[in-house]
Amino acid sequence: PNRLLYVPPLAPEASSVALARNADGRLALFGVSPGGHLLWRTQQTAGSFDWGDWTGSLTKDWFAVGAEPAANRLIALAGTTTTGQVFHRQQAGAATEDWFNWRLDGLCVSIAFASNADGRLEMACVNAQGALFSRRQDTPNSASWGAWNQITVPAGVPLRPVTADTNTPDGRIELAGVDSAGRVWHTQQSAANAVAWNPLAQFGGPLMNEVALARNTTDGTLELVGTDGAGGIWRRRQTAA
């Protein structure tokens, strides 16, 4: 198996890889190595199968990572450590390899980003107890973020990894996560840009270790991809955007 990027054997689980698109169209891939170093690399050209070399962080003890371009198309990057600390930073310029300094801001294990309808990024996270939280930029492209707000989950449902993306038609963010029993749950903002969220609903189907949301560029529907305990890959999509 490929052990370059992996989820360390800690609970709750979280995603140790993330993709985000640079302002020039090239994808940037971020991940955590077995030694706990944060790694990233970028496509040579947009749409290419060729990628640049890995660059690694000087520090280690990273655990999970999330990334998303802001309204100005500069990538926002967040990472959690093995002690549950949340750090975040932003690109210093369009499609650059340079970054502003890390900011310590919160205690979580799993992390995910999505864009609000008004351009502000939303950061969602799950802490070590399985509780779900979210926060947002003060203004689009801002380095300042508002306070964490807890999202209610059903009793006895400690979440582990979380993923997020934006519904195209109405701009509401969709969150999905896996609980400690492998059940998949999801919720949406009550309205575009809202702080409130609809009650979590359980997806039927097989139990999962991890899931990821992505938006189809052809019709705008969201696709949910997951991996089960045997390494099988599953997917489902919205019936309409």
Side-chain angles (χ1 to χ4, degrees), residues 2-8 14-20 28-33 38-39 54 63-67 77-78 110-112 162-163 210-212:
N2 183 356
R3 295 188 58 80
L4 176 62
L5 304 176
Y6 85 130
V7 176
S15 178
S16 63
V17 293
L19 274 171
L29 175 64
F30 304 89
V32 178
S33 74
L38 183 61
L39 307 173
W54 288 104
F63 180 62
V65 64
L77 177 65
S110 177
I111 200 93
V162 64
T163 181
E210 189 174 348
V211 291

PDB file of all heavy atoms in Angstrom, residues 2-8 14-20 28-33 38-39 54 63-67 77-78 110-112 162-163 210-212:
ATOM      1  N   ASN A   2       0.290   2.346  -0.482  1.00  0.00           N
ATOM      2  CA  ASN A   2       0.991   3.623  -0.499  1.00  0.00           C
ATOM      3  C   ASN A   2       0.962   4.214   0.899  1.00  0.00           C
ATOM      4  O   ASN A   2      -0.074   4.601   1.403  1.00  0.00           O
ATOM      5  CB  ASN A   2       0.309   4.573  -1.487  1.00  0.00           C
ATOM      6  CG  ASN A   2       1.050   5.889  -1.581  1.00  0.00           C
ATOM      7  OD1 ASN A   2       2.020   6.124  -0.869  1.00  0.00           O
ATOM      8  ND2 ASN A   2       0.592   6.740  -2.476  1.00  0.00           N
ATOM      9  N   ARG A   3       2.119   4.299   1.547  1.00  0.00           N
ATOM     10  CA  ARG A   3       2.189   4.802   2.905  1.00  0.00           C
ATOM     11  C   ARG A   3       2.779   6.210   2.964  1.00  0.00           C
ATOM     12  O   ARG A   3       3.138   6.704   4.030  1.00  0.00           O
ATOM     13  CB  ARG A   3       2.996   3.860   3.792  1.00  0.00           C
ATOM     14  CG  ARG A   3       2.333   2.508   3.971  1.00  0.00           C
ATOM     15  CD  ARG A   3       3.057   1.681   5.017  1.00  0.00           C
ATOM     16  NE  ARG A   3       3.117   2.341   6.299  1.00  0.00           N
ATOM     17  CZ  ARG A   3       2.126   2.372   7.168  1.00  0.00           C
ATOM     18  NH1 ARG A   3       0.970   1.786   6.883  1.00  0.00           N
ATOM     19  NH2 ARG A   3       2.263   2.970   8.332  1.00  0.00           N
ATOM     20  N   LEU A   4       2.901   6.870   1.808  1.00  0.00           N
ATOM     21  CA  LEU A   4       3.399   8.239   1.824  1.00  0.00           C
ATOM     22  C   LEU A   4       2.404   9.152   2.528  1.00  0.00           C
ATOM     23  O   LEU A   4       2.772   9.996   3.333  1.00  0.00           O
ATOM     24  CB  LEU A   4       3.627   8.736   0.393  1.00  0.00           C
ATOM     25  CG  LEU A   4       4.065  10.196   0.276  1.00  0.00           C
ATOM     26  CD1 LEU A   4       5.402  10.396   0.979  1.00  0.00           C
ATOM     27  CD2 LEU A   4       4.184  10.600  -1.186  1.00  0.00           C
ATOM     28  N   LEU A   5       1.105   8.989   2.195  1.00  0.00           N
ATOM     29  CA  LEU A   5       0.052   9.779   2.823  1.00  0.00           C
ATOM     30  C   LEU A   5      -0.890   8.827   3.521  1.00  0.00           C
ATOM     31  O   LEU A   5      -1.344   7.855   2.941  1.00  0.00           O
ATOM     32  CB  LEU A   5      -0.714  10.591   1.770  1.00  0.00           C
ATOM     33  CG  LEU A   5       0.138  11.516   0.910  1.00  0.00           C
ATOM     34  CD1 LEU A   5      -0.738  12.175  -0.143  1.00  0.00           C
ATOM     35  CD2 LEU A   5       0.825  12.561   1.754  1.00  0.00           C
ATOM     36  N   TYR A   6      -1.186   9.099   4.791  1.00  0.00           N
ATOM     37  CA  TYR A   6      -1.999   8.148   5.520  1.00  0.00           C
ATOM     38  C   TYR A   6      -2.657   8.847   6.688  1.00  0.00           C
ATOM     39  O   TYR A   6      -2.334   9.971   7.035  1.00  0.00           O
ATOM     40  CB  TYR A   6      -1.146   6.983   6.006  1.00  0.00           C
ATOM     41  CG  TYR A   6      -0.421   7.195   7.322  1.00  0.00           C
ATOM     42  CD1 TYR A   6      -0.496   6.258   8.337  1.00  0.00           C
ATOM     43  CD2 TYR A   6       0.327   8.370   7.544  1.00  0.00           C
ATOM     44  CE1 TYR A   6       0.159   6.460   9.533  1.00  0.00           C
ATOM     45  CE2 TYR A   6       0.974   8.561   8.746  1.00  0.00           C
ATOM     46  CZ  TYR A   6       0.897   7.603   9.739  1.00  0.00           C
ATOM     47  OH  TYR A   6       1.532   7.801  10.936  1.00  0.00           O
ATOM     48  N   VAL A   7      -3.631   8.184   7.298  1.00  0.00           N
ATOM     49  CA  VAL A   7      -4.244   8.661   8.530  1.00  0.00           C
ATOM     50  C   VAL A   7      -3.597   7.916   9.689  1.00  0.00           C
ATOM     51  O   VAL A   7      -3.679   6.699   9.768  1.00  0.00           O
ATOM     52  CB  VAL A   7      -5.766   8.410   8.525  1.00  0.00           C
ATOM     53  CG1 VAL A   7      -6.371   8.825   9.854  1.00  0.00           C
ATOM     54  CG2 VAL A   7      -6.415   9.193   7.392  1.00  0.00           C
ATOM     55  N   PRO A   8      -2.927   8.605  10.613  1.00  0.00           N
ATOM     56  CA  PRO A   8      -2.307   7.908  11.740  1.00  0.00           C
ATOM     57  C   PRO A   8      -3.344   7.162  12.568  1.00  0.00           C
ATOM     58  O   PRO A   8      -4.518   7.536  12.591  1.00  0.00           O
ATOM     59  CB  PRO A   8      -1.683   9.069  12.552  1.00  0.00           C
ATOM     60  CG  PRO A   8      -1.526  10.189  11.573  1.00  0.00           C
ATOM     61  CD  PRO A   8      -2.679  10.050  10.627  1.00  0.00           C
ATOM     62  N   ALA A  14      -9.439  11.134  10.770  1.00  0.00           N
ATOM     63  CA  ALA A  14      -9.559  12.384  10.022  1.00  0.00           C
ATOM     64  C   ALA A  14      -8.827  12.217   8.709  1.00  0.00           C
ATOM     65  O   ALA A  14      -8.023  11.311   8.534  1.00  0.00           O
ATOM     66  CB  ALA A  14      -8.980  13.543  10.823  1.00  0.00           C
ATOM     67  N   SER A  15      -9.092  13.117   7.766  1.00  0.00           N
ATOM     68  CA  SER A  15      -8.461  13.022   6.452  1.00  0.00           C
ATOM     69  C   SER A  15      -7.061  13.620   6.495  1.00  0.00           C
ATOM     70  O   SER A  15      -6.861  14.752   6.933  1.00  0.00           O
ATOM     71  CB  SER A  15      -9.303  13.767   5.409  1.00  0.00           C
ATOM     72  OG  SER A  15      -8.659  13.714   4.159  1.00  0.00           O
ATOM     73  N   SER A  16      -6.094  12.862   6.024  1.00  0.00           N
ATOM     74  CA  SER A  16      -4.721  13.352   5.976  1.00  0.00           C
ATOM     75  C   SER A  16      -4.334  13.830   4.585  1.00  0.00           C
ATOM     76  O   SER A  16      -3.160  14.062   4.317  1.00  0.00           O
ATOM     77  CB  SER A  16      -3.758  12.250   6.424  1.00  0.00           C
ATOM     78  OG  SER A  16      -3.822  11.156   5.529  1.00  0.00           O
ATOM     79  N   VAL A  17      -5.294  13.981   3.680  1.00  0.00           N
ATOM     80  CA  VAL A  17      -5.025  14.518   2.345  1.00  0.00           C
ATOM     81  C   VAL A  17      -6.076  15.557   1.992  1.00  0.00           C
ATOM     82  O   VAL A  17      -7.208  15.511   2.470  1.00  0.00           O
ATOM     83  CB  VAL A  17      -4.997  13.412   1.260  1.00  0.00           C
ATOM     84  CG1 VAL A  17      -3.817  12.494   1.455  1.00  0.00           C
ATOM     85  CG2 VAL A  17      -6.298  12.630   1.251  1.00  0.00           C
ATOM     86  N   ALA A  18      -5.677  16.524   1.148  1.00  0.00           N
ATOM     87  CA  ALA A  18      -6.606  17.552   0.690  1.00  0.00           C
ATOM     88  C   ALA A  18      -6.131  18.085  -0.658  1.00  0.00           C
ATOM     89  O   ALA A  18      -4.923  18.151  -0.922  1.00  0.00           O
ATOM     90  CB  ALA A  18      -6.697  18.696   1.698  1.00  0.00           C
ATOM     91  N   LEU A  19      -7.088  18.470  -1.502  1.00  0.00           N
ATOM     92  CA  LEU A  19      -6.808  19.076  -2.801  1.00  0.00           C
ATOM     93  C   LEU A  19      -7.435  20.465  -2.854  1.00  0.00           C
ATOM     94  O   LEU A  19      -8.522  20.676  -2.323  1.00  0.00           O
ATOM     95  CB  LEU A  19      -7.400  18.242  -3.939  1.00  0.00           C
ATOM     96  CG  LEU A  19      -6.593  17.077  -4.503  1.00  0.00           C
ATOM     97  CD1 LEU A  19      -7.465  16.276  -5.461  1.00  0.00           C
ATOM     98  CD2 LEU A  19      -5.352  17.565  -5.223  1.00  0.00           C
ATOM     99  N   ALA A  20      -6.747  21.398  -3.512  1.00  0.00           N
ATOM    100  CA  ALA A  20      -7.317  22.722  -3.752  1.00  0.00           C
ATOM    101  C   ALA A  20      -6.762  23.249  -5.063  1.00  0.00           C
ATOM    102  O   ALA A  20      -5.651  22.896  -5.479  1.00  0.00           O
ATOM    103  CB  ALA A  20      -6.992  23.681  -2.609  1.00  0.00           C
ATOM    104  N   ALA A  28      -3.287  21.779  -6.155  1.00  0.00           N
ATOM    105  CA  ALA A  28      -2.286  21.603  -5.105  1.00  0.00           C
ATOM    106  C   ALA A  28      -2.743  20.470  -4.210  1.00  0.00           C
ATOM    107  O   ALA A  28      -3.912  20.407  -3.815  1.00  0.00           O
ATOM    108  CB  ALA A  28      -2.118  22.883  -4.303  1.00  0.00           C
ATOM    109  N   LEU A  29      -1.844  19.545  -3.921  1.00  0.00           N
ATOM    110  CA  LEU A  29      -2.138  18.377  -3.100  1.00  0.00           C
ATOM    111  C   LEU A  29      -1.387  18.506  -1.784  1.00  0.00           C
ATOM    112  O   LEU A  29      -0.183  18.765  -1.763  1.00  0.00           O
ATOM    113  CB  LEU A  29      -1.715  17.094  -3.825  1.00  0.00           C
ATOM    114  CG  LEU A  29      -1.848  15.778  -3.051  1.00  0.00           C
ATOM    115  CD1 LEU A  29      -3.300  15.479  -2.713  1.00  0.00           C
ATOM    116  CD2 LEU A  29      -1.246  14.635  -3.868  1.00  0.00           C
ATOM    117  N   PHE A  30      -2.109  18.329  -0.685  1.00  0.00           N
ATOM    118  CA  PHE A  30      -1.523  18.412   0.647  1.00  0.00           C
ATOM    119  C   PHE A  30      -1.732  17.078   1.355  1.00  0.00           C
ATOM    120  O   PHE A  30      -2.744  16.406   1.156  1.00  0.00           O
ATOM    121  CB  PHE A  30      -2.193  19.530   1.455  1.00  0.00           C
ATOM    122  CG  PHE A  30      -2.144  20.869   0.788  1.00  0.00           C
ATOM    123  CD1 PHE A  30      -3.161  21.255  -0.076  1.00  0.00           C
ATOM    124  CD2 PHE A  30      -1.093  21.728   1.010  1.00  0.00           C
ATOM    125  CE1 PHE A  30      -3.124  22.486  -0.711  1.00  0.00           C
ATOM    126  CE2 PHE A  30      -1.044  22.964   0.388  1.00  0.00           C
ATOM    127  CZ  PHE A  30      -2.061  23.356  -0.476  1.00  0.00           C
ATOM    128  N   GLY A  31      -0.790  16.692   2.196  1.00  0.00           N
ATOM    129  CA  GLY A  31      -0.927  15.438   2.917  1.00  0.00           C
ATOM    130  C   GLY A  31      -0.021  15.382   4.124  1.00  0.00           C
ATOM    131  O   GLY A  31       0.841  16.246   4.319  1.00  0.00           O
ATOM    132  N   VAL A  32      -0.220  14.353   4.932  1.00  0.00           N
ATOM    133  CA  VAL A  32       0.579  14.125   6.136  1.00  0.00           C
ATOM    134  C   VAL A  32       1.352  12.822   5.965  1.00  0.00           C
ATOM    135  O   VAL A  32       0.779  11.794   5.586  1.00  0.00           O
ATOM    136  CB  VAL A  32      -0.307  14.053   7.388  1.00  0.00           C
ATOM    137  CG1 VAL A  32       0.535  13.755   8.621  1.00  0.00           C
ATOM    138  CG2 VAL A  32      -1.078  15.357   7.572  1.00  0.00           C
ATOM    139  N   SER A  33       2.644  12.861   6.234  1.00  0.00           N
ATOM    140  CA  SER A  33       3.503  11.690   6.065  1.00  0.00           C
ATOM    141  C   SER A  33       3.431  10.791   7.297  1.00  0.00           C
ATOM    142  O   SER A  33       2.928  11.201   8.349  1.00  0.00           O
ATOM    143  CB  SER A  33       4.956  12.135   5.843  1.00  0.00           C
ATOM    144  OG  SER A  33       5.508  12.598   7.072  1.00  0.00           O
ATOM    145  N   LEU A  38       3.911  17.682   7.298  1.00  0.00           N
ATOM    146  CA  LEU A  38       2.939  18.164   6.320  1.00  0.00           C
ATOM    147  C   LEU A  38       3.645  18.331   4.983  1.00  0.00           C
ATOM    148  O   LEU A  38       4.686  18.992   4.893  1.00  0.00           O
ATOM    149  CB  LEU A  38       2.352  19.493   6.786  1.00  0.00           C
ATOM    150  CG  LEU A  38       1.256  20.110   5.920  1.00  0.00           C
ATOM    151  CD1 LEU A  38       0.044  19.190   5.834  1.00  0.00           C
ATOM    152  CD2 LEU A  38       0.840  21.463   6.485  1.00  0.00           C
ATOM    153  N   LEU A  39       3.085  17.724   3.930  1.00  0.00           N
ATOM    154  CA  LEU A  39       3.689  17.737   2.602  1.00  0.00           C
ATOM    155  C   LEU A  39       2.746  18.390   1.607  1.00  0.00           C
ATOM    156  O   LEU A  39       1.536  18.352   1.773  1.00  0.00           O
ATOM    157  CB  LEU A  39       3.987  16.312   2.120  1.00  0.00           C
ATOM    158  CG  LEU A  39       4.809  15.410   3.047  1.00  0.00           C
ATOM    159  CD1 LEU A  39       4.849  13.999   2.496  1.00  0.00           C
ATOM    160  CD2 LEU A  39       6.219  15.955   3.207  1.00  0.00           C
ATOM    161  N   TRP A  54       7.602  16.936  -3.945  1.00  0.00           N
ATOM    162  CA  TRP A  54       7.030  17.191  -2.625  1.00  0.00           C
ATOM    163  C   TRP A  54       7.881  18.205  -1.859  1.00  0.00           C
ATOM    164  O   TRP A  54       9.110  18.164  -1.895  1.00  0.00           O
ATOM    165  CB  TRP A  54       6.969  15.904  -1.807  1.00  0.00           C
ATOM    166  CG  TRP A  54       5.938  14.906  -2.254  1.00  0.00           C
ATOM    167  CD1 TRP A  54       6.164  13.748  -2.944  1.00  0.00           C
ATOM    168  CD2 TRP A  54       4.531  14.970  -2.012  1.00  0.00           C
ATOM    169  NE1 TRP A  54       4.976  13.082  -3.160  1.00  0.00           N
ATOM    170  CE2 TRP A  54       3.961  13.806  -2.600  1.00  0.00           C
ATOM    171  CE3 TRP A  54       3.696  15.882  -1.374  1.00  0.00           C
ATOM    172  CZ2 TRP A  54       2.605  13.539  -2.558  1.00  0.00           C
ATOM    173  CZ3 TRP A  54       2.338  15.622  -1.334  1.00  0.00           C
ATOM    174  CH2 TRP A  54       1.794  14.470  -1.914  1.00  0.00           C
ATOM    175  N   PHE A  63      -1.583  15.940  11.834  1.00  0.00           N
ATOM    176  CA  PHE A  63      -2.511  14.804  11.834  1.00  0.00           C
ATOM    177  C   PHE A  63      -3.472  14.850  10.655  1.00  0.00           C
ATOM    178  O   PHE A  63      -3.633  13.884   9.933  1.00  0.00           O
ATOM    179  CB  PHE A  63      -3.297  14.790  13.150  1.00  0.00           C
ATOM    180  CG  PHE A  63      -4.277  13.656  13.258  1.00  0.00           C
ATOM    181  CD1 PHE A  63      -3.839  12.341  13.251  1.00  0.00           C
ATOM    182  CD2 PHE A  63      -5.637  13.891  13.379  1.00  0.00           C
ATOM    183  CE1 PHE A  63      -4.734  11.286  13.354  1.00  0.00           C
ATOM    184  CE2 PHE A  63      -6.544  12.848  13.484  1.00  0.00           C
ATOM    185  CZ  PHE A  63      -6.093  11.546  13.470  1.00  0.00           C
ATOM    186  N   ALA A  64      -4.160  15.962  10.451  1.00  0.00           N
ATOM    187  CA  ALA A  64      -5.144  16.083   9.374  1.00  0.00           C
ATOM    188  C   ALA A  64      -4.966  17.433   8.691  1.00  0.00           C
ATOM    189  O   ALA A  64      -4.364  18.358   9.241  1.00  0.00           O
ATOM    190  CB  ALA A  64      -6.565  15.954   9.918  1.00  0.00           C
ATOM    191  N   VAL A  65      -5.517  17.547   7.475  1.00  0.00           N
ATOM    192  CA  VAL A  65      -5.321  18.762   6.691  1.00  0.00           C
ATOM    193  C   VAL A  65      -6.577  19.046   5.873  1.00  0.00           C
ATOM    194  O   VAL A  65      -7.302  18.132   5.478  1.00  0.00           O
ATOM    195  CB  VAL A  65      -4.078  18.612   5.773  1.00  0.00           C
ATOM    196  CG1 VAL A  65      -4.286  17.518   4.740  1.00  0.00           C
ATOM    197  CG2 VAL A  65      -3.709  19.925   5.118  1.00  0.00           C
ATOM    198  N   GLY A  66      -6.845  20.327   5.640  1.00  0.00           N
ATOM    199  CA  GLY A  66      -7.929  20.770   4.771  1.00  0.00           C
ATOM    200  C   GLY A  66      -7.483  21.983   3.988  1.00  0.00           C
ATOM    201  O   GLY A  66      -6.643  22.760   4.464  1.00  0.00           O
ATOM    202  N   ALA A  67      -8.004  22.173   2.778  1.00  0.00           N
ATOM    203  CA  ALA A  67      -7.598  23.297   1.936  1.00  0.00           C
ATOM    204  C   ALA A  67      -8.742  23.705   1.023  1.00  0.00           C
ATOM    205  O   ALA A  67      -9.545  22.865   0.595  1.00  0.00           O
ATOM    206  CB  ALA A  67      -6.372  22.921   1.094  1.00  0.00           C
ATOM    207  N   LEU A  77      -5.276  27.134   3.998  1.00  0.00           N
ATOM    208  CA  LEU A  77      -4.823  25.815   4.425  1.00  0.00           C
ATOM    209  C   LEU A  77      -4.986  25.714   5.938  1.00  0.00           C
ATOM    210  O   LEU A  77      -4.637  26.639   6.668  1.00  0.00           O
ATOM    211  CB  LEU A  77      -3.354  25.619   4.042  1.00  0.00           C
ATOM    212  CG  LEU A  77      -2.657  24.328   4.471  1.00  0.00           C
ATOM    213  CD1 LEU A  77      -3.274  23.118   3.791  1.00  0.00           C
ATOM    214  CD2 LEU A  77      -1.164  24.410   4.158  1.00  0.00           C
ATOM    215  N   ALA A  78      -5.532  24.617   6.399  1.00  0.00           N
ATOM    216  CA  ALA A  78      -5.651  24.365   7.839  1.00  0.00           C
ATOM    217  C   ALA A  78      -5.151  22.969   8.140  1.00  0.00           C
ATOM    218  O   ALA A  78      -5.292  22.049   7.326  1.00  0.00           O
ATOM    219  CB  ALA A  78      -7.099  24.511   8.302  1.00  0.00           C
ATOM    220  N   SER A 110     -10.430  16.640  13.105  1.00  0.00           N
ATOM    221  CA  SER A 110     -10.740  16.624  11.671  1.00  0.00           C
ATOM    222  C   SER A 110     -11.122  18.032  11.225  1.00  0.00           C
ATOM    223  O   SER A 110     -11.739  18.795  11.980  1.00  0.00           O
ATOM    224  CB  SER A 110     -11.890  15.649  11.412  1.00  0.00           C
ATOM    225  OG  SER A 110     -12.262  15.649  10.054  1.00  0.00           O
ATOM    226  N   ILE A 111     -10.795  18.392   9.978  1.00  0.00           N
ATOM    227  CA  ILE A 111     -11.001  19.763   9.493  1.00  0.00           C
ATOM    228  C   ILE A 111     -11.457  19.732   8.042  1.00  0.00           C
ATOM    229  O   ILE A 111     -11.059  18.847   7.284  1.00  0.00           O
ATOM    230  CB  ILE A 111      -9.692  20.586   9.648  1.00  0.00           C
ATOM    231  CG1 ILE A 111      -9.969  22.077   9.634  1.00  0.00           C
ATOM    232  CG2 ILE A 111      -8.650  20.177   8.652  1.00  0.00           C
ATOM    233  CD1 ILE A 111     -10.164  22.676  10.978  1.00  0.00           C
ATOM    234  N   ALA A 112     -12.296  20.700   7.648  1.00  0.00           N
ATOM    235  CA  ALA A 112     -12.760  20.793   6.258  1.00  0.00           C
ATOM    236  C   ALA A 112     -13.155  22.231   5.963  1.00  0.00           C
ATOM    237  O   ALA A 112     -13.521  22.993   6.867  1.00  0.00           O
ATOM    238  CB  ALA A 112     -13.939  19.863   6.010  1.00  0.00           C
ATOM    239  N   VAL A 162     -14.821  14.687   8.840  1.00  0.00           N
ATOM    240  CA  VAL A 162     -15.859  15.557   8.296  1.00  0.00           C
ATOM    241  C   VAL A 162     -15.398  16.083   6.942  1.00  0.00           C
ATOM    242  O   VAL A 162     -14.200  16.245   6.698  1.00  0.00           O
ATOM    243  CB  VAL A 162     -16.160  16.720   9.271  1.00  0.00           C
ATOM    244  CG1 VAL A 162     -14.957  17.632   9.450  1.00  0.00           C
ATOM    245  CG2 VAL A 162     -17.386  17.497   8.839  1.00  0.00           C
ATOM    246  N   THR A 163     -16.349  16.319   6.049  1.00  0.00           N
ATOM    247  CA  THR A 163     -16.062  16.856   4.724  1.00  0.00           C
ATOM    248  C   THR A 163     -17.126  17.882   4.383  1.00  0.00           C
ATOM    249  O   THR A 163     -18.210  17.880   4.973  1.00  0.00           O
ATOM    250  CB  THR A 163     -16.022  15.714   3.672  1.00  0.00           C
ATOM    251  OG1 THR A 163     -15.714  16.254   2.387  1.00  0.00           O
ATOM    252  CG2 THR A 163     -17.353  14.987   3.601  1.00  0.00           C
ATOM    253  N   GLU A 210     -14.370   6.660   5.965  1.00  0.00           N
ATOM    254  CA  GLU A 210     -14.137   8.065   5.640  1.00  0.00           C
ATOM    255  C   GLU A 210     -14.947   8.418   4.403  1.00  0.00           C
ATOM    256  O   GLU A 210     -15.226   7.557   3.565  1.00  0.00           O
ATOM    257  CB  GLU A 210     -12.647   8.319   5.377  1.00  0.00           C
ATOM    258  CG  GLU A 210     -12.275   9.769   5.244  1.00  0.00           C
ATOM    259  CD  GLU A 210     -10.777   9.981   5.123  1.00  0.00           C
ATOM    260  OE1 GLU A 210     -10.018   9.023   5.360  1.00  0.00           O
ATOM    261  OE2 GLU A 210     -10.371  11.108   4.777  1.00  0.00           O
ATOM    262  N   VAL A 211     -15.347   9.695   4.282  1.00  0.00           N
ATOM    263  CA  VAL A 211     -16.087  10.156   3.105  1.00  0.00           C
ATOM    264  C   VAL A 211     -15.528  11.497   2.655  1.00  0.00           C
ATOM    265  O   VAL A 211     -14.874  12.212   3.423  1.00  0.00           O
ATOM    266  CB  VAL A 211     -17.605  10.308   3.407  1.00  0.00           C
ATOM    267  CG1 VAL A 211     -18.247   8.951   3.624  1.00  0.00           C
ATOM    268  CG2 VAL A 211     -17.849  11.227   4.590  1.00  0.00           C
ATOM    269  N   ALA A 212     -15.793  11.832   1.391  1.00  0.00           N
ATOM    270  CA  ALA A 212     -15.385  13.124   0.837  1.00  0.00           C
ATOM    271  C   ALA A 212     -16.471  13.620  -0.106  1.00  0.00           C
ATOM    272  O   ALA A 212     -17.063  12.837  -0.865  1.00  0.00           O
ATOM    273  CB  ALA A 212     -14.058  12.996   0.089  1.00  0.00           C
TER     274      ALA A 212
END
